[in-house]
């Protein structure tokens, strides 16, 4: 996946101040920190790597606690904790200013980062990209959907169904099987359960409205995704809350454009961040 990779943590203070495991691609002066979704790890992005510019950019693909190279890291698994972990990683990398990309539940995290950065006046974030993101008020699921999502956690058959639903039920059964296998291999069930509560129950939308964050944002949706990730919901939330927002919607993708349409997603992302130097 990467030209170099590292997994770092403090042995003595693992629970208090870990450094997230991560892979690095590129050596450019423009820094980009990339986060993954609830049912995947940083390897989700492997298919877009060949299309990224390693001369202009340095991409760091981080695994949050309980996943991938950070699977051994425990915590409270909250949006505030993930945000703090991201800033700690940026500090460790000596990144003063950078772009940040979140996917699905970490689309919520990058909003938390944007609000905190904006209110602090530090302006470390050059831009924010949120791919098929959860809005700051949590995913709008009814009780039946919430129960299904809870039941599928590390349950093979239901997880395969979930991946099919997230991509418009258009893809071969092998898609769901492969995604499920990878998810089980790279995540801790207890972390997945706790993050479920994060992206379904967290709500800091009032704070978002008050903050009026003007950091440039790109919101990317997939037209084959579930309703809570589609254009109407994204425009009613992100479009109403963030004054400097651009939208892009991918016709042939659902929830995983980094795997469904990797060339196009890489193009959309890099075209956007290229204008935010």
């Amino acid at each position: 996946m990467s030209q170099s990779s590292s997994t770092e943590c403090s042995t003595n203070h693992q629970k208090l101040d870990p450094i997230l495991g991560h892979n690095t691609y590129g050596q450019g002066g423009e820094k980009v920190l990339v986060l993954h979704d609830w049912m995947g790890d940083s390897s989700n992005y492997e298919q877009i790597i060949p299309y990224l510019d390693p001369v202009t950019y340095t991409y760091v693909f981080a695994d949050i606690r309980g996943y991938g190279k950070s699977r051994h890291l425990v915590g409270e698994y909250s949006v505030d904790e993930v945000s703090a972990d991201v800033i700690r990683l940026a500090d460790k990398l000596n990144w003063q200013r950078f772009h940040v990309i979140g996917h699905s539940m970490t689309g919520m995290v990058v909003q938390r980062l944007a609000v905190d950065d904006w209110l602090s006046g530090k302006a470390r974030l050059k831009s924010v990209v949120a791919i098929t993101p959860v809005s700051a008020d949590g995913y709008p699921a009814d009780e039946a959907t919430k129960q299904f999502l809870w039941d599928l956690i590390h349950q093979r058959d239901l997880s395969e169904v979930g991946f099919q639903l997230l991509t418009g039920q258009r893809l071969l059964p092998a898609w769901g099987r492969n995604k499920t296998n990878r998810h089980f291999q790279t995540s801790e069930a207890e972390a997945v359960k706790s993050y479920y509560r994060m992206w379904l129950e967290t709500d800091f939308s009032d704070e978002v409205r008050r903050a009026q964050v003007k950091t440039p944002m790109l919101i990317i949706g997939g037209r084959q995704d579930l309703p809570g990730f589609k254009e109407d919901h994204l425009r009613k939330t992100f479009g109403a809350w963030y004054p400097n927002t651009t939208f892009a919607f991918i016709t042939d993708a659902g929830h995983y454009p980094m795997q469904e349409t990797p060339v196009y997603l890489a193009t959309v992302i890099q075209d956007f961040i290229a204008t935010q130097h």
Side-chain angles (χ1 to χ4, degrees), residues 3 53 57 59 66 92 95 97 104 125 136 146 152 169-171 175 178 215 228 233 255 261-262 270:
Q3 294 178 343
D53 175 2
Y57 301 95
Y59 288 90
K92 178 71 173 179
W95 288 7
R97 301 198 70 217
S104 192
L125 297 185
K146 288 180 181 179
L152 68 71
Q169 302 182 74
R170 302 170 303 122
L171 305 180
W175 159 258
N178 181 67
T215 305
H233 182 70
H255 200 62
T261 55
Q270 211 156 262

Side-chain angles (χ1 to χ4, degrees), residues 124-143:
R124 294 184 69 178
L125 297 185
K126 291 186 173 184
S127 73
V128 173
V129 177
I131 305 166
T132 60
V134 175
S135 51
D137 56 353
Y139 184 75
D142 58 26
E143 291 305 314

Side-chain angles (χ1 to χ4, degrees), residues 95-138:
W95 288 7
Q96 297 306 308
R97 301 198 70 217
F98 58 98
H99 310 269
V100 65
I101 298 174
H103 175 213
S104 192
M105 75 170 181
T106 61
M108 172 181 275
V109 171
V110 297
Q111 293 170 80
R112 181 72 266 170
L113 287 163
V115 171
D116 292 345
D117 182 64
W118 183 260
L119 293 177
S120 75
K122 294 178 180 178
R124 294 184 69 178
L125 297 185
K126 291 186 173 184
S127 73
V128 173
V129 177
I131 305 166
T132 60
V134 175
S135 51
D137 56 353

Side-chain angles (χ1 to χ4, degrees), residues 4-43:
S4 65
S5 65
S6 61
T7 305
E8 303 180 40
C9 70
S10 169
T11 302
N12 296 328
H13 304 287
Q14 175 177 311
K15 293 184 179 180
L16 297 177
D17 56 355
I19 299 300
L20 297 177
H22 54 280
N23 294 313
T24 301
Y25 177 77
Q27 309 87 28
E30 288 295 318
K31 315 299 188 182
V32 188
L33 203 156
V34 188
L35 304 172
H36 59 83
D37 74 314
W38 184 53
M39 293 180 71
D41 69 333
S42 60
S43 68

Side-chain angles (χ1 to χ4, degrees), residues 1 42-52 61 175 178-179 256-266:
M1 172 179 174
S42 60
S43 68
N44 279 0
Y45 292 96
E46 287 179 346
Q47 289 167 268
I48 75 170
I49 295 294
Y51 314 110
L52 301 176
F61 299 86
W175 159 258
N178 181 67
K179 287 289 290 179
Y256 291 94
M258 64 286 298
Q259 293 171 316
E260 297 171 84
T261 55
V263 182
Y264 188 66
L265 179 67

Side-chain angles (χ1 to χ4, degrees), residues 205-224:
S205 57
D206 286 343
E207 189 176 355
V208 168
R209 293 185 186 94
R210 293 193 302 269
Q212 288 294 294
V213 176
K214 295 182 177 62
T215 305
M217 288 194 180
L218 171 63
I219 311 303
I220 302 172
R223 297 204 182 278
Q224 310 303 320

